[in-house]
């Protein structure tokens, strides 16, 4: 029944690898800098644990140790052997100097016996690590933070890691997109866009959507600065001219969707839109602006309600967007999609609003098990744009729009959406031919089965991670149709197929 795994293309993954192999054991930690609430810093003295960490650093790790969770496209991302439940990111940020002092507290469960624990982390300086409150030795080399707890951790045990770190956060090169991702500083605004591989450039993480977790963000900034993050604002504590904004995200999230938005913003509630959407709608808008200053935004409640009718209930506790300067795109950060202000001013703002909202179901609630299947995010969110056209302008208008695009893509000579190049993961075919794949499915199985498939897939894999085979499995079960050929033709074969005649019921 299940189709075979998509062929992987052995593209230049070398681009992901870092060069340096030197690094030091932080046997004596630098004094903590601006770090906040932190545990006192007494870092690991030389010990057997330090030796183990040193062994790993010099490449003498335990045989068979793999520094990655097993994603063919990003061999170094993520780590096996444990499962993160929760991240608490305690951030003290100085906007004048663009300086961050932080403590990341990571609550996890071991899924294997662990002598050492690996986190993905790069760019910032680690000053101390604690495991269950005890100082632990560590190495920070390339993009791996290797921690050697005083005693090994047994499979099944819960543990808590505190990582104290600081520095000036910057964008990081990405193996998958041709621009810097991660922490962005644009004028007096700071925000994070981390898809797919830059979360670990601003906090230590098991940086792969296979390991989703809940989050608390505590962001300490000067009193006149607004700091937002994913989820719900639960507290705002003022002290000595500074304010700590506390945001809580109680649904599991992939690390790349974690964001903070810091600067001269205002948090705008839209109760009217919330009443329509069925969940609270709140935005993070440039100070002095409100919903009506961003024409199109007033329809977001309607959009969420429309998508919920088609896909099933909105998966999270709230939603909204942040409008920022200078990144040229939009990104579906969980519960708080980020929009460049020029996108929010463009004629296609409504399409992108629908697109990022649809990602909350497809991409954020139902997450990728491997980055090669990125069409499961982008094809679905793009198809939602066509569904919105269908609602606004009718089925014929939608069919004409899709047919015109199919004709363009048939001659464009792009790779098929199911086998994207790892260095160009978000290429146009992933979005548009990915969406056409869903349209071909709809024409094959009929509207009733098609929307039943989408709803079942969204419900069945909510808060989990999937592969293309999971989606095909649901589609075949519900439709009773053998669909291998259809999906192979659209996802694997570089030729863009003709649409099938409408069938189903
Ligand atoms: N997922 C984004 C979108 O469709 C595209 C994207 C991927 C992106 N990586 C990014 C945007 C990094 C900005 C920055 O809608
Ligand atoms: Zn998208």
């Amino acid at each position: 029944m299940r189709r075979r795994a998509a062929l992987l293309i052995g593209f230049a993954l070398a681009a992901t690898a870092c060069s340096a192999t030197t690094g030091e054991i932080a046997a004596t930690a630098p004094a903590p800098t601006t770090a906040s609430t932190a545990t006192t810093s007494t870092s690991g003295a030389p010990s057997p644990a330090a030796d183990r960490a040193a062994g790993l650093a010099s490449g003498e790790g335990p045989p068979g140790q793999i520094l990655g969770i097993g994603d063919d496209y990003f061999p170094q991302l993520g780590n096996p052997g444990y499962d993160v439940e929760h991240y608490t990111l305690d951030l003290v940020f100085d906007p004048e100097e663009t300086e961050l002092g932080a403590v990341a507290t990571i609550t996890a469960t071991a899924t294997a016996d662990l002598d050492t624990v690996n986190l993905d982390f790069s760019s910032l300086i680690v000053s101390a690590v604690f495991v269950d409150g005890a100082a632990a030795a560590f190495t920070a080399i390339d993009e791996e933070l290797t921690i050697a707890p005083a005693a090994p951790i047994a499979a099944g045990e819960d543990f808590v890691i505190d990582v104290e770190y600081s520095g000036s956060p910057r964008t990081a090169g990405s193996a998958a997109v041709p621009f810097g991702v991660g922490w962005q500083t644009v004028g007096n605004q700071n925000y994070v866009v981390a898809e797919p591989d830059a979360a670990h450039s601003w906090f230590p993480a098991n940086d792969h959507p296979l390991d989703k977790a809940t989050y608390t963000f505590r962001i300490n900034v000067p009193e006149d600065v607004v700091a937002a993050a994913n989820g719900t604002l639960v507290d705002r504590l003022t002290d000595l001219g500074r304010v700590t904004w506390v945001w809580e995200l109680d649904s599991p999230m992939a690390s790349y969707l974690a964001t903070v938005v810091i600067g001269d913003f205002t948090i705008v509630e839209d109760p009217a839109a919330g009443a329509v959407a069925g969940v609270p709608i709140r935005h993070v808008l440039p100070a002095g602006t409100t919903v009506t200053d961003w024409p199109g935004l007033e329809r977001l409640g309607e959009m969420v309600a429309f998508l919920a009718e088609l896909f099933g209930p909105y998966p999270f506790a709230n939603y909204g967007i942040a409008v920022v300067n200078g990144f040229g795109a939009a990104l579906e950060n969980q519960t708080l999609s980020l929009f460049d202000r020029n996108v929010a001013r463009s004629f296609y703002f409504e399409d992108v609003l629908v697109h990022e909202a649809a990602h909350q179901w497809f991409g954020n609630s139902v997450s990728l098990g491997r980055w090669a299947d990125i069409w499961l995010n982008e094809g679905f969110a793009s198809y939602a744009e066509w569904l919105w056209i269908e609602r606004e302008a009718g089925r014929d208008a939608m069919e004409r729009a899709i047919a015109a695009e199919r004709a363009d893509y048939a001659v464009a000579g792009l790779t098929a959406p199911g086998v994207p190049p790892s260095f160009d993961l978000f290429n146009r075919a992933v979005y548009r031919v990915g969406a056409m794949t869903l349209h071909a499915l709809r024409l094959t199985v009929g509207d009733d089965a098609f929307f039943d498939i989408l709803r079942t897939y969204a419900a069945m894999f909510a808060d989990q991670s999937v592969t293309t085979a999971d989606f095909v499995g649901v589609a075949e079960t519900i439709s009773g149709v053998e669909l291998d050929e259809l999906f192979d033709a659209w996802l694997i074969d570089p030729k863009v197929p003709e649409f099938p005649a409408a069938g189903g019921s």
Side-chain angles (χ1 to χ4, degrees):
M1 271 298 259
R2 301 261 160 139
R3 58 182 271 282
R4 70 187 147 72
L7 292 169
L8 294 175
I9 30 184
F11 267 108
L13 287 165
T16 63
C18 286
S19 43
T21 52
T22 53
E24 82 286 35
I25 291 283
T28 53
T33 53
T34 52
S36 49
T37 59
T39 32
T40 41
S41 173
T42 62
S43 199
S47 68
D51 291 345
R52 283 201 306 278
L56 283 179
S58 61
E60 297 160 15
Q65 167 113 14
I66 36 168
L67 299 178
I69 208 164
D71 193 310
D72 297 301
Y73 274 38
F74 298 93
Q76 298 190 328
L77 278 191
N79 300 278
Y82 62 92
D83 182 16
V84 177
E85 311 316 323
H86 190 80
Y87 294 88
T88 297
L89 303 181
D90 223 312
L91 311 173
V92 177
F93 186 65
D94 175 357
E96 293 295 314
E97 305 294 328
T98 320
E99 268 288 320
L100 184 65
V103 181
T105 301
I106 300 169
T107 309
T109 305
T111 56
D113 292 336
L114 297 171
D115 274 351
T116 58
V117 181
N118 262 66
L119 290 163
D120 302 303
F121 196 43
S122 64
S123 310
L124 297 166
I125 305 301
V126 178
S127 51
V129 177
F130 300 84
V131 178
D132 293 331
F138 63 92
T139 61
I141 295 172
D142 287 348
E143 303 192 13
E144 295 287 336
L145 176 63
T146 302
I147 299 163
I153 301 167
E157 265 182 50
D158 295 335
F159 59 96
V160 179
I161 294 183
D162 291 289
V163 179
E164 295 184 6
Y165 64 98
S166 62
S168 190
R170 293 171 207 292
T171 59
S174 168
V177 293
F179 47 86
V181 281
W183 190 287
Q184 318 274 326
T185 302
V186 179
N188 64 6
Q189 299 186 348
N190 287 269
Y191 54 88
V192 172
V193 290
E195 188 181 20
D197 55 349
H200 69 283
S201 72
W202 71 283
F203 67 97
N206 195 19
D207 197 3
H208 194 282
L210 275 173
D211 189 0
K212 306 210 286 183
T214 52
Y215 284 72
T216 304
F217 302 85
R218 300 168 49 86
I219 314 164
N220 179 275
V221 289
E223 210 165 30
D224 56 344
V225 174
V226 170
N230 315 82
T232 302
L233 178 63
V234 295
D235 228 333
R236 204 179 155 279
L237 311 159
T238 50
D239 187 29
L240 299 172
R242 299 195 49 103
V243 54
T244 303
W245 299 75
V246 184
W247 295 80
E248 203 58 72
L249 180 77
D250 61 6
S251 45
M253 174 168 75
S255 46
Y256 74 89
L257 296 166
T259 195
V260 294
V261 179
I262 300 172
D264 195 11
F265 294 100
T266 166
I267 295 170
V268 177
E269 310 279 343
D270 189 343
V276 175
V279 290
I281 300 279
R282 52 91 187 88
H283 305 298
V284 180
L285 300 177
T289 72
T290 188
V291 172
T292 48
D293 294 306
W294 304 95
L297 187 52
E298 77 287 351
R299 301 199 67 186
L300 187 61
E302 244 180 290
M303 292 169 179
V304 170
F306 170 65
L307 297 177
E309 230 169 80
L310 299 179
F311 303 156
Y314 177 78
F316 306 124
N318 62 353
Y319 189 54
I321 71 166
V323 176
V324 300
N325 296 334
F327 92 109
L331 182 61
E332 67 268 22
N333 292 332
Q334 191 157 315
T335 75
L336 185 63
S337 294
L338 203 64
F339 283 71
D340 184 305
R341 71 178 290 135
N342 295 323
V343 174
R345 289 266 181 250
S346 69
F347 68 91
Y348 53 86
F349 181 38
E350 269 193 34
D351 299 329
V352 189
L353 275 175
V354 170
H355 180 106
E356 307 308 339
H359 272 309
Q360 305 302 315
W361 283 263
F362 301 115
N364 297 5
S365 171
V366 180
S367 291
L368 298 179
R370 28 176 250 159
W371 281 107
D373 287 330
I374 184 65
W375 85 278
L376 292 173
N377 291 9
E378 300 305 346
F380 284 57
S382 299
Y383 195 66
E385 297 173 43
W386 286 337
L387 292 170
W388 184 251
I389 293 178
E390 181 178 6
R391 171 189 144 121
E392 294 289 294
R395 177 80 186 236
D396 288 350
M398 177 194 71
E399 291 288 358
R400 282 194 302 275
I402 297 175
E405 280 202 52
R406 199 213 73 91
D408 281 354
Y409 280 84
V411 297
L414 295 156
T415 53
V419 285
S422 64
F423 55 80
D424 188 19
L425 205 53
F426 298 88
N427 70 74
R428 293 183 298 140
V430 163
Y431 285 70
R432 310 313 291 185
V433 183
M436 289 172 211
T437 303
L438 291 177
H439 196 55
L441 173 66
R442 180 177 176 180
L443 293 173
T444 302
V445 303
D447 280 15
D448 289 352
F450 177 72
F451 289 106
D452 192 6
I453 290 165
L454 293 188
R455 271 190 295 275
T456 303
Y457 170 73
M460 195 157 137
F461 297 106
D463 294 337
Q464 297 175 52
S465 308
V466 295
T467 64
T468 294
D470 292 317
F471 179 66
V472 175
V474 170
E476 291 189 331
T477 302
I478 287 177
S479 66
V481 178
E482 164 68 60
L483 294 165
D484 284 1
E485 254 179 59
L486 177 139
F487 282 105
D488 280 352
W490 282 91
L491 295 176
I492 312 292
D493 192 329
K495 207 163 95 280
V496 181
E498 297 285 350
F499 283 116
S505 51

